[in-house]
Amino acid sequence: MLEPPDDLTDAEVLEAVRRHWAPEADAVEHLPVGWGAHHWRVDAAGEPAYFATLDPDLPRHTRATLEAAYASAAALGLDFVWPSLPTLDGDVTLPVGARTASVARWLPGERPETSVAELPGMLAELHATPPPRTARAWASEVDADLPGRLRALLQQPWEGPLGPAARELVVDHLTQVGAWSREHARLVALADPATYVVTHGEPGVHNQWLARGRTWLLDWESLLLAPRERDLATLVHEGRAVDHDPEMVRLFDLEWRLSEVWSFARWMQGPHLGGADDHTALGGLTYELTRPHFDEH
């Protein structure tokens, strides 16, 4: 998130890190990056030492799912995984207020400008790795009656400064969302659990990191056992030649799109002041409602 949370102070974050991960930590700084989760740089002896994340409690990311995902990533044994660290008690996550905290070591580096050439090989290696016992299986997070839930949301006030524009967007595209939802339901029924492999979930360039002379995959909170197209959709979107099931790629394109529409619509209907994160939410809602399908590019 671009703005710090209004219900948690830096001092509280530092105390949680010191008590449960790194007693030597002496300072934190909120980092204006990403969406959904909040992030902090954690210093020790005046130098960056750790990267702390607080994930909100969402249907797709609860304390239980985050614990399973981060623990599974650490157990993979792959040399491109930058894992979260266990707490002093042995868990990987910790409840902090209404959020779930995790901590990784600081990794100086940079995000590539475009998706790296080695990504297909990394994903192939990931998909061939035996599943850790802690890994959970994918189940769609899209409500079967998403159009109905959106119609109910439209009956409530949208009073924030960006609310009316967001509401108009949802009204204009509600019929299309209904068509997407019906197609999504058809495709979900085709997914075969016998084919599921370990997947990252969001392996795009925003989760790639160049450091120590190599590429790493970060942010493993979405790790699940699922059809490999859950990851391969990224390669298809990038125009790479990769063997895939087009219907499963379409499924995960719709899974992402519909879950984002619901998440952003709820955000925009709720109270907000028109800050940077609110504009990001409106931009995300606009993009997901209006972008072409992956096969229309």
Side-chain angles (χ1 to χ4, degrees):
M1 301 293 281
L2 302 180
E3 300 167 310
D6 56 12
D7 60 346
L8 193 68
T9 66
D10 285 355
E12 290 172 309
V13 173
L14 177 59
E15 174 60 21
V17 173
R18 286 172 55 88
R19 177 174 297 183
H20 297 280
W21 278 280
E24 74 277 16
D26 53 30
V28 300
E29 179 181 340
H30 184 266
L31 302 175
V33 295
W35 170 260
H38 289 278
H39 304 284
W40 285 262
R41 188 192 73 218
V42 181
D43 294 349
E47 295 292 334
Y50 302 97
F51 183 81
T53 297
L54 264 73
D55 286 285
D57 189 18
L58 301 171
R60 66 172 133 173
H61 291 321
T62 65
R63 167 86 195 284
T65 66
L66 291 165
E67 179 71 26
Y70 288 136
S72 297
L76 289 173
L78 297 174
D79 59 7
F80 54 79
V81 175
W82 192 251
S84 298
L85 298 172
T87 67
L88 299 177
D89 294 328
D91 292 331
V92 188
T93 63
L94 174 80
V96 176
R99 299 180 177 86
T100 298
S102 58
V103 171
R105 295 196 184 279
W106 186 259
L107 182 62
E110 62 182 0
R111 181 173 291 117
E113 292 186 6
T114 58
S115 189
V116 297
E118 60 266 33
L119 183 61
M122 297 166 72
L123 293 178
E125 186 176 356
L126 172 65
H127 297 164
T129 300
R133 62 175 182 79
T134 50
R136 294 185 167 215
W138 171 79
S140 176
E141 66 184 60
V142 176
D143 191 299
D145 188 27
L146 178 60
R149 296 189 72 182
L150 286 172
R151 283 191 291 271
L153 199 65
L154 290 171
Q155 301 307 310
Q156 302 177 37
W158 294 53
E159 296 178 344
L162 306 180
R167 185 184 185 281
E168 183 176 353
L169 269 169
V170 174
V171 169
D172 289 346
H173 293 87
L174 193 57
T175 298
Q176 183 63 69
V177 171
W180 291 336
S181 296
R182 291 188 294 275
E183 183 183 5
H184 175 268
R186 178 185 69 82
L187 294 170
V188 167
L190 301 180
D192 180 4
T195 68
Y196 288 9
V197 298
V198 181
T199 61
H200 179 283
E202 300 180 38
V205 66
H206 62 294
N207 282 329
Q208 300 166 25
W209 194 248
L210 305 179
R212 301 184 178 180
R214 57 181 308 157
T215 302
W216 305 82
L217 284 181
L218 308 179
D219 294 349
W220 288 86
E221 73 273 7
S222 297
L223 183 152
L224 289 170
L225 306 181
R228 64 195 188 105
E229 283 80 7
R230 184 170 183 253
D231 288 338
L232 297 185
T234 293
L235 302 180
V236 175
H237 278 251
E238 294 174 355
R240 306 205 202 198
V242 58
D243 182 44
H244 66 278
D245 179 339
E247 290 209 296
M248 287 297 97
V249 168
R250 176 67 172 154
L251 166 61
F252 286 102
D253 181 68
L254 286 169
E255 176 80 12
W256 177 265
R257 180 176 225 160
L258 293 171
S259 62
E260 290 289 276
V261 165
W262 175 242
S263 176
F264 288 132
R266 288 179 60 197
W267 180 285
M268 299 312 303
Q269 184 276 323
H272 61 274
L273 300 176
D277 288 326
D278 303 322
H279 281 276
T280 297
L282 180 58
L285 179 65
T286 303
Y287 176 73
E288 294 299 342
L289 286 173
T290 61
R291 68 172 171 86
H293 302 321
F294 74 91
D295 52 2
E296 295 175 350
H297 288 278

